[in-house]
Amino acid sequence: MNLAMDSDEPWMRSLHSDTGYLLYRLGLRSGQLFNAALQESGVRLRHYAVLRYLATVEGALQRELSTSLGYDPSAIVSLVDDLERLGFVERRPAPGDRRSRIVVLTGDGGAFLRDTDRTSQGVSEELTSPLTADERTVLRDLLLRVAGEG
């Protein structure tokens, strides 16, 4: 994220003092880098987030994915459809409720996550390259707190 290019503009100096805007810009940059890194796989950052979440649970209802990831329910349907076509997830009957289906990570989905772990780390390293290792840890901890996760 190159904030220096606009920093002489008074309106940009004011905007760059807004933490929310800076987080927004960082999120955009992160998404761009991650999507570029995953481009050949046909998976985008939002798909990756679903896969990462499913790697932590035994399966999830689509509404749970929507709530946990903060995505619109209709977006979840499309993301799961895409991942199912790639063979990375499958829908199975929910235990105790034959009308509901849970989304489960497949072996191929787990292998994809393992294969892209280095890609994910590379994107994070590129984004935080101006920081020391200690500063990266502090940033991560602070972001977790701000996100209500820590």
Side-chain angles (χ1 to χ4, degrees):
M1 178 166 63
N2 184 3
L3 299 178
M5 67 180 175
D6 318 291
S7 61
D8 292 336
E9 297 291 334
W11 63 272
M12 287 304 292
R13 280 194 302 274
S14 176
L15 197 52
H16 290 167
S17 68
D18 183 321
T19 302
Y21 175 75
L22 293 173
L23 288 170
Y24 167 76
R25 288 274 304 255
L26 181 61
L28 284 178
R29 179 75 179 131
S30 175
Q32 291 167 346
L33 289 172
F34 209 96
N35 286 331
L38 290 173
Q39 187 172 14
E40 290 180 23
S41 70
V43 171
R44 309 221 0 117
L45 180 57
R46 294 176 71 128
H47 296 102
Y48 185 80
V50 171
L51 292 173
R52 275 281 167 218
Y53 180 81
L54 290 173
T56 68
V57 296
E58 294 290 324
L61 296 169
Q62 289 182 169
R63 69 178 165 267
E64 178 186 343
L65 292 171
S66 174
T67 301
S68 297
L69 297 172
Y71 296 164
D72 186 80
S74 62
I76 289 294
V77 171
S78 177
L79 291 169
V80 171
D81 287 347
D82 293 344
L83 292 169
E84 195 169 39
R85 272 191 295 278
L86 291 168
F88 292 165
V89 303
E90 59 184 37
R91 290 175 170 105
R92 296 182 183 161
D97 184 357
R98 285 185 276 161
R99 293 175 295 145
S100 294
R101 314 271 293 163
I102 59 171
V103 182
V104 178
L105 186 69
T106 65
D108 287 347
F112 175 80
L113 285 175
R114 285 188 296 282
D115 291 346
T116 56
D117 193 48
R118 202 169 282 173
T119 299
S120 174
Q121 290 174 0
V123 169
S124 292
E125 287 172 13
E126 183 174 345
L127 283 170
T128 60
S129 62
L131 305 177
T132 67
D134 287 343
E135 288 171 331
R136 289 175 186 189
T137 300
V138 169
L139 176 62
R140 184 186 159 284
D141 291 347
L142 290 171
L143 290 172
L144 282 171
R145 279 184 33 208
V146 169
E149 302 292 327

